[in-house]
Amino acid sequence: MTADTTTSRLLSAYGRTYAQQAGITLRDKPSPLYRLLVLTVLCSIRISADTAVAAARELSRAGFRTPRAMARSRWQDRVDALGRAHYVRYDESTATALGDGARLVLERWHGDLRRLRDEADGDPDALRGLLQEVPRIGPVGADIFCREAQAVWPWLRPYFDDRACRVARDLGLPHTPGGLGRSVPPEDHARLAAALVRVDLSKGAARELRAA
């Protein structure tokens, strides 16, 4: 199977971004960008991606779609929303981190992550560093955010972190950010990055793709 065929199969079977799965219509606007940040926080601990996505949906249903709404919410309400998604063991500490993070976003960037983007001034490494000032987000979380945010921040493209590149290599695909970026249209970079991560998380997916 050619690299082009593998890439096409990847996008067809696994090319749904995690923002899409969480019900976030990602745009370069304050609320969807903040909801992506919340999803990133939820994904930044040892918990399944599906559970993190479910928790993001529950927090959204509870009305915590902006940093101001999150900061004003009761800690117990955040815990309860996480509990409904079975986000267990980490529910209390994550509820605290979400509240602290919302206050940071309000104080540092006036509730608008486009100001964080502007502060990074077109430098992905600077953006990753700023993201890691948010409670609970480390290097892995910064990569999660950037993989998804490239859908609406073209200057980030192509953003394929070490994990995505490793999976691409295992599948016989170009395994550098530039090589992967050239394999699909720019508007599909976020989808391809998500697909590679989903393959990494799915037992047998890589073997099935290689065998097809």
Side-chain angles (χ1 to χ4, degrees), residues 133-154:
E133 295 183 24
V134 178
R136 186 61 66 78
I137 295 180
V140 171
D143 282 336
I144 292 169
F145 185 93
C146 291
R147 286 197 309 257
E148 299 272 322
Q150 68 180 319
V152 292
W153 289 350

Side-chain angles (χ1 to χ4, degrees), residues 73-90:
S73 66
R74 296 190 313 132
W75 177 82
Q76 188 61 55
D77 290 338
R78 299 195 295 273
V79 170
D80 290 345
L82 294 170
R84 289 193 295 273
H86 307 293
Y87 195 95
V88 295
R89 290 181 56 200
Y90 304 102

Side-chain angles (χ1 to χ4, degrees), residues 28-38 67 101 105-106 109-119 127 131 134 145 153:
D28 191 23
K29 300 288 184 182
S31 178
L33 288 170
Y34 176 68
R35 292 172 66 195
L36 175 60
L37 188 75
V38 169
V105 172
L106 287 169
W109 299 295
H110 305 283
D112 188 346
L113 291 175
R114 293 175 299 183
R115 292 174 179 260
L116 176 151
R117 175 203 63 199
D118 293 344
E119 189 174 336
L127 177 64
L131 287 165
V134 178
F145 185 93
W153 289 350

Side-chain angles (χ1 to χ4, degrees), residues 124 146 150 154-161 176-182 186 189:
C146 291
Q150 68 180 319
W155 62 272
L156 269 174
R157 302 171 187 160
Y159 197 96
F160 295 93
D161 58 7
T176 64
L180 284 167
R182 288 188 291 274
H189 286 176

Side-chain angles (χ1 to χ4, degrees), residues 55-83:
R57 283 183 170 275
E58 285 295 336
L59 288 163
S60 181
R61 287 192 192 101
F64 310 147
R65 293 169 170 247
T66 66
R68 192 167 303 282
M70 187 72 79
R72 287 178 173 174
S73 66
R74 296 190 313 132
W75 177 82
Q76 188 61 55
D77 290 338
R78 299 195 295 273
V79 170
D80 290 345
L82 294 170

Side-chain angles (χ1 to χ4, degrees), residues 2 8 116 154 182 191 194 209:
T2 66
S8 178
L116 176 151
R182 288 188 291 274
R191 292 182 61 224
L209 282 165

